[in-house]
Amino acid sequence: MIFLTTAIDYPNGSPHIGHAYEKVLTDVLARYHRLCGEEVYFLTGVDQHGQKMVQTAEKEGVNVATLAKKNTKKFLKLLDALDISNDGWAETTDDRHKACVSQILTALHEKGQLYKKSYSGYYSIRQEQFLTDQERDENGNFGPEWGEVEAREEENWYFKLSEHTTWLREAVESDALGIVPAFRKSEVLNAIGKAESTDLCISRPKERLSWGIPLPFDPDFVTYVWFDALINYISFAGYLKGEGSELPDFDKLWPAHFHVIGKDIMVPAHAIYWPCMLHAMGFENAQMPNLLVHGWWNVKKKDSATGEESSEKMSKSLGNIVDPMELVDTVGTDAVRYYLARDIATGKDSDFDPERLFVLFNSEMANGLGNLLNRSLNMTKASLGAELVAYEHDDEECQLVRNSHAALLKIFPEKMAEIDLRGALEALVSFITDVNTFAERTKPWELKKDEAKRDQLTAVLHHMCEACALASVLLQPFVPAAAAKMQGQLNAPHLADLKFADLKWGLLPAGQTINKPKPVFPRLQKSDE
């Protein structure tokens, strides 16, 4: 079983393009593993507790539960707009999740892993955590990533995080806790060094924050949002589930193949808090999840004085957020999904560039694959009565197409295994370019004029249609709606049921009839840009 999760998002506002990217990235991986014949469970959701939710509700003058419900609908709507194929949905206000968190807290308390003390220090309101001097920069200041920081003294409950950091370092070094891409591993090891003598505050006084899961052994406190949120990965996977919960079989799902997360929540939350929490619960090395850490979509900023361009992180305060719902409404789901998978190296940052979206989709999908599909089907219909009949002709040109076909079937899974979605799409685009070049060289529109070359014409058109069939299958993880339309026009519904191991030359047999083509990848017009 392949168990994939995204981070659960704060519904204290509307989703942005970063949320959309993480969902699409995970969805492409989920659909690809299904294409490979593997059973997949894909979990995503929202983190509805925490101080940020309360602060936003107060600003909007609404009840926090009302805010959570209203904004959660926006994230659900985004999943539909992006054609996300999640199997599970997590909401931290779900009673099943609350029960799991309470059981875990009780067990850790009984093990002596939790203790109560008073603490005085600096508190990050954005990250909802106390800071230490290790979070200060060389000038002694807390960086902008921590947002507003205030001095605070209060009594709270703590998790003995420091008891698990020696184990955690060994787990990271041995890859028991897998971290992809590999260059992130050194960041985690450095962060462990900062956490070795620090325990984690896991509560907030109810008099200050009532919106959360009460500690079962001390109801005057609610659970710290991260200690609540991270548990979603196991609570909604069926860990400690009650009778009739309708949750999946935990032993079948766990450990997670990947927690897909942004680099900003890798440390300390996912690479330090979470594995140490699991270790304290009794999870062994073989039961540790893997982390797939992606980068950010930034936006280009032009200096008004020099004209020089630079990149800056998207931020509500800067007003440079890209709304994924508006983007889908403007250019369509296929274009958004294709761009988000195509124009970023997994694990690294990239600049969101509407011009690149426009150029890549038009050149590679509309002009490349869309043109190949239309000309293949139109010429087959006009020249062969819409039937791919048997042929005997073969030559060097046809062999080149089959060689390119075989090369694609080799490199595509290699790239996907490396989580190199961009590389996989580049390989597919290269194949489509080869087939379009084949059409230009063989000129089936000229072959049609000579009855003596009918067998060659049949071979050429069959090769072109065969290429479209393969492309439709390989595109299923990336643009599932467009892939289904291609298969409908090829009159080949069996393609949707194929697994990667079934892919070989001959997906469309002799006698296959095709349907009338309609644009699957309409060009984005300038008004859409």
Side-chain angles (χ1 to χ4, degrees), residues 190-391:
N190 288 337
I192 292 171
K194 295 180 179 181
E196 284 175 337
S197 59
T198 304
D199 287 340
L200 174 63
C201 179
I202 59 103
S203 71
R204 297 294 181 265
K206 189 173 282 188
E207 62 185 20
R208 178 164 66 81
L209 178 66
S210 60
W211 180 243
I213 301 174
L215 297 187
F217 45 82
D218 194 342
D220 290 335
F221 294 83
V222 298
T223 310
Y224 168 50
V225 67
W226 275 115
F227 214 86
D228 162 6
L230 290 164
I231 289 172
N232 99 89
Y233 298 133
I234 55 176
S235 65
F236 288 98
Y239 185 67
L240 300 178
K241 68 179 179 180
E243 286 230 11
S245 68
E246 298 182 351
L247 291 168
D249 183 347
F250 181 73
D251 291 335
K252 187 177 179 182
L253 263 60
W254 196 259
H257 185 76
F258 279 129
H259 291 319
V260 182
I261 59 170
K263 66 179 185 179
D264 53 328
I265 57 173
M266 178 181 71
V267 293
H270 283 82
I272 296 180
Y273 299 166
W274 181 226
C276 288
M277 288 164 62
L278 289 170
H279 190 243
M281 285 181 236
F283 285 65
E284 300 178 353
N285 281 18
Q287 297 172 294
M288 288 298 125
N290 297 308
L291 306 180
L292 174 56
V293 187
H294 63 77
W296 288 335
W297 282 97
N298 298 319
V299 290
K300 289 182 178 178
K301 177 184 177 182
K302 182 175 286 189
D303 189 295
S304 56
T306 65
E308 293 183 357
E309 288 188 339
S310 59
S311 296
E312 67 179 8
K313 186 175 184 275
M314 290 187 192
S315 163
K316 291 178 184 177
S317 61
L318 294 174
N320 60 5
I321 293 290
V322 175
D323 183 337
M325 296 300 294
E326 288 184 4
L327 194 62
V328 169
D329 289 342
T330 303
V331 300
T333 300
D334 290 331
V336 173
R337 285 182 63 108
Y338 186 78
Y339 175 73
L340 292 178
R342 173 69 179 84
D343 205 34
I344 188 170
T346 307
K348 297 185 178 180
D349 294 350
S350 185
D351 289 330
F352 180 83
D353 186 347
E355 180 64 26
R356 284 280 293 169
L357 185 158
F358 183 87
V359 169
L360 284 171
F361 189 80
N362 280 349
S363 63
E364 296 180 352
M365 291 292 99
N367 295 349
L369 180 55
N371 180 48
L372 176 64
L373 179 66
N374 287 339
R375 73 203 307 196
S376 300
L377 298 184
N378 274 322
M379 285 188 285
T380 299
K381 188 173 180 65
S383 305
L384 304 177
E387 182 179 356
L388 296 173
V389 298
Y391 61 89

